[in-house]
Amino acid sequence: MSIAVIYGGNRPNGNTESLTKLATLHLEVEEIYLSEYHIEPIIDKRHDPEGFSDIDDDYNTVIDKVLAHDILIFSTPIYWYTMTGIMKNFIDRWSHMMRDENRPTFKEEIAKKHTYVIAVGGDSPYIKGLPMIQQFKHIFDFMGMTFEDYIIGEANAPGEITQDVRALVAAEQLRKKLEQTQKS
């Protein structure tokens, strides 16, 4: 099974990226850094008679990369107790994708994906990050995706994630699980 990591961070080599790289160490993964693409926010036209308009940005490029894989890892720092704006913007655009005449099977394709979330934040993320994990679960359930598991880590300043033994152990366990999955 092929794996894509969708990075929603805005800081290169941040704690969330570092933890995610530990979880995918030595695995074949496609890394998709949302910050490297121009993705316009959604303009909600679900109920307009003319529907959504085509948008001239990089979203189709990104979604093509995502749909090419079986396993999706959503990697996001916890900003203000939720996912980053860039990650939310990426997911918000699914409303457009589900109504795009050029992508009539988008929901069926995305429903085949197995998902994980890796998130790192400060201010008690093991408790205060859980509503964000629940938000991801609701999103995945709505889309018919299989939510496999999540990792939350606690860190704030650059490099602090190396102090969170609980997160490091969880990343190693996930890496072993993904390694087995890629072998089968």
Side-chain angles (χ1 to χ4, degrees), residues 71-75 113-119 130 133-134 136-137 140 145-152 169-175 177-178:
I71 297 171
L72 306 177
I73 300 172
F74 292 79
S75 175
K113 309 306 175 192
H114 294 263
T115 61
Y116 295 85
V117 174
I118 299 177
L130 290 177
I133 298 299
Q134 192 172 41
F136 270 109
K137 182 179 179 343
F140 299 149
M145 303 161 84
T146 304
F147 185 29
E148 298 288 349
D149 205 354
Y150 68 91
I151 298 172
I152 292 179
V169 168
E172 176 63 18
Q173 290 171 337
L174 177 56
R175 187 194 59 73
K177 182 177 180 177
L178 292 171

Side-chain angles (χ1 to χ4, degrees), residues 4 6 19 22 30 36 41 47 52 56 67 73 82 86 104-105 109-110 116 122 127 134 145 149 160 167 171 174 184:
I6 304 160
L19 185 60
L22 284 173
E30 181 169 7
E36 294 178 359
H47 305 289
F52 286 99
D56 186 21
L67 291 175
I73 300 172
T82 192
I86 196 168
T105 61
E109 288 179 66
I110 201 97
Y116 295 85
I127 302 295
Q134 192 172 41
M145 303 161 84
D149 205 354
E160 275 186 0
L174 177 56
S184 10

